Amino acid sequence: MSTPIGGAGVIARENPARTTEIVGVVAETPAAAVSEIVREADAEQRKWATRELPERLAVLSRAAVAIEDAVEELATLLARESGKVIGDCRGEIGFAVRYLRWVAEHAPAAYADRVVDDELGRIVEQRRPYGVVAAITPWNAPVILTVLKLAPALAAGNAVVVKPSPLAPLTVSRVIALFEAPVRVVHGSADTGAALVGHELVRKVAFTGGSPGGRAVAALAGDRLTPSVLELGGNDPAVFLDDAPFDDDTVDRLVMASFATSGQVCMAAKRLYVPASRLDSFVEAYLAAAGRVLVTGDPLADGVTMGPVISAAAQRAAITLRGGPALPALSGGGTVHDLGRFDGDPETGYFVRPALVAGPDPASPLVAAEQFAPIVPVLGYTSEEQVLAAANAGELGLGASVWSADEERAFAFARRFEAGFTFVNTHNRTGMSLRAPFGGVKRSGWGREYAGEGLAEYVQTCVIHAPAAFRPGAGPVSGGPSAYPAG
């Protein structure tokens, strides 16, 4: 929520698990004030870029230590402002620390000059920073998704201005304060973001969020001819081939791949496809797994594995989408199965009972659109061609997964997905790797995070070239001004 205090706007963040509790406040940054902040960042960047790469990487390493030392405090704050369970918050912050150290290890090779000096001439390829990077981050994994932009951008010599989501501004602000580097934070909603992305001194935009926000950011950046990296939404299919096991470990992992962060994850398993002949046994195994691993309640309570959704609006949308016996048409038909158990009082916050919907209409919003809620559909299929067509339907292509007892068969099937990242025999966070580039195809964005490709997003290749024919001591030049290069 955003409320005026003494004439100055603030963002007061409520606890989605206990909505009467205000976790903290941050001052809103008026759109008119963004320009001066960007100009200050631009001036700081010019000094930062002159520091040697080892000095910049030492700053990242010190930030990693500071974040690691504060992990319990930061995780508790993140759980209170976002509704994520405390164990997931610790894991997210720990992963951010790992990524900072990974960048410090791999940036020297990624950002080194590349020199060719041979009979054709001398070429120096420099990896130079853009300048000021605008980083716009979401609320569902705010720390790691901020650090994914901060770490390579700062290592490369850029300055960064971060605009966190107003639904999770507190922990990001604390983390940013631990960097001894040219990184600023602005708070606000669409107007603040537009002022940042559209600023003349912003040279690169990095955005993670939903497709509507991504379209707005891309339009603003495009108007300025500002390059961008966009990681947008997904409607990830999880396809079980006819030999896939339904053992406890496999299905436990699948349940959490859908319901981590209450299903509010871009790369969650959002559509499940199972051979029609095995659908009943799959549903039985899934309900049993949810009974083992899915406990909804206060994110700070021991044993809870799923908290509330982020807001009242998200709760209303999820309840409408979920449907049920009284509202079967809203779920697109099918059978709604309640999952897991609730520990605590569901009336204290924005809680939604998680559900599996078996056999909904494939054209229903539950299947055809990204749910971003703790409801997941399962559908039967009769052939691999049929399920592949269903999995590839739609405009989104972020992630997908294929499950099989035969890894070679799984990889062969995975090659046919229209997805930027395909998991094999797992899905969501358990399948991520720092060395594997992540990003979408189709309308799920462009550019990549993680791995060498993620580092490369924050540098420009600038070339110095001396052709052999014109170097000191070269012989007479043959050909005229229109001659093409030799190689």
Side-chain angles (χ1 to χ4, degrees):
M1 69 180 72
S2 177
T3 56
I5 293 181
V10 301
I11 297 168
R13 182 62 198 139
E14 65 184 353
N15 183 336
R18 292 188 295 275
T19 55
T20 58
E21 174 191 334
I22 298 299
V23 180
V25 300
V26 294
E28 281 192 302
T29 308
V34 172
S35 181
E36 183 59 29
I37 292 170
V38 173
R39 292 185 183 281
E40 291 171 356
D42 179 67
E44 292 171 357
Q45 185 274 328
R46 297 173 190 278
K47 298 175 183 177
W48 176 251
T50 65
R51 296 175 67 173
E52 296 294 329
L53 178 60
E55 293 182 65
R56 299 197 298 265
L57 298 182
V59 170
L60 297 190
S61 296
R62 289 195 295 273
V65 171
I67 294 169
E68 190 172 46
D69 288 346
V71 64
E72 200 60 32
E73 173 194 349
L74 293 171
T76 301
L77 179 61
L78 182 56
R80 291 173 62 214
E81 71 169 324
S82 71
K84 290 174 57 164
V85 298
I86 185 69
D88 287 351
C89 293
R90 292 189 189 106
E92 177 181 337
I93 294 163
F95 194 53
V97 170
R98 282 181 56 202
Y99 185 67
L100 280 165
R101 289 174 173 154
W102 186 91
V103 170
E105 179 184 353
H106 290 85
Y111 295 154
D113 288 353
R114 290 158 174 79
V115 180
V116 175
D117 195 341
D118 57 20
E119 69 278 3
L120 297 177
R122 183 180 178 188
I123 296 174
V124 177
E125 296 181 9
Q126 298 175 287
R127 304 294 185 260
R128 299 178 63 177
Y130 281 90
V132 177
V133 174
I136 301 181
T137 59
W139 49 262
N140 57 345
V143 174
I144 183 57
L145 292 173
T146 297
V147 170
L148 275 174
K149 299 161 181 57
L150 274 186
L154 292 173
N158 300 283
V160 185
V161 181
V162 179
K163 194 199 87 64
S165 166
L167 295 174
L170 305 174
T171 314
V172 170
S173 296
R174 296 274 187 93
V175 167
I176 287 172
L178 299 176
F179 284 80
E180 304 162 2
V183 52
R184 303 295 189 92
V185 62
V186 298
H187 292 290
S189 53
D191 288 347
T192 303
L196 177 59
V197 171
H199 196 282
E200 61 186 1
L201 292 178
V202 166
R203 305 300 187 193
K204 178 89 179 195
V205 175
F207 174 87
T208 302
S211 294
R215 291 176 190 274
V217 166
L220 276 170
D223 188 58
R224 283 281 185 188
L225 296 179
T226 305
S228 60
V229 54
L230 305 178
E231 196 263 274
L232 307 179
N235 190 15
D236 292 19
V239 175
F240 281 73
L241 300 183
D242 57 18
D243 64 344
F246 295 164
D247 61 277
D248 290 355
D249 178 68
T250 296
V251 187
D252 288 357
R253 191 163 61 253
L254 176 67
V255 168
M256 293 314 302
S258 291
F259 294 106
T261 316
S262 305
Q264 302 167 116
V265 179
C266 59
M267 59 184 178
K270 296 188 175 78
R271 296 177 285 153
L272 313 182
Y273 293 96
V274 180
S277 61
R278 303 184 70 197
L279 184 58
D280 289 345
S281 60
F282 175 87
V283 170
E284 181 181 354
Y286 197 94
L287 297 181
R292 289 190 298 270
V293 303
L294 204 53
V295 180
T296 305
D298 189 322
L300 294 173
D302 290 340
V304 168
T305 57
M306 195 188 96
V309 294
I310 191 67
S311 66
Q315 184 188 48
R316 288 192 298 270
I319 290 171
T320 298
L321 187 67
R322 186 183 188 280
L327 300 168
L330 295 179
S331 65
T335 302
V336 179
H337 299 276
D338 291 333
L339 300 176
R341 71 179 193 274
F342 196 93
D343 183 8
D345 182 359
E347 301 302 318
T348 63
Y350 302 129
F351 292 99
V352 176
R353 182 74 183 266
L356 176 74
V357 182
D361 182 346
S364 69
L366 181 63
V367 180
E370 181 180 28
Q371 310 105 15
F372 231 65
I375 307 104
V376 64
V378 57
L379 301 97
Y381 70 88
T382 56
S383 73
E384 288 190 10
E385 293 303 319
Q386 177 203 2
V387 73
L388 189 68
N392 287 338
E395 291 192 323
L396 300 180
L398 186 60
S401 64
V402 57
W403 307 65
S404 172
D406 183 338
E407 187 174 279
E408 291 304 317
R409 183 183 177 198
F411 268 77
F413 189 91
R415 288 178 180 275
R416 303 174 70 193
F417 276 129
E418 295 173 0
F421 197 105
T422 297
F423 305 92
V424 173
N425 290 327
T426 195
H427 202 122
N428 208 334
R429 294 177 307 208
T430 55
M432 298 298 292
S433 170
L434 293 176
R435 64 180 186 169
F438 183 84
V441 299
K442 299 196 291 190
R443 299 286 190 259
S444 286
W446 53 72
R448 293 294 180 263
E449 294 185 312
Y450 297 103
E453 286 85 345
L455 296 178
E457 291 287 355
Y458 295 93
V459 287
Q460 306 172 89
T461 299
C462 298
V463 174
I464 306 170
H465 181 210
F470 309 112
R471 300 181 77 179
V477 179
S478 61
S482 64
Y484 285 97

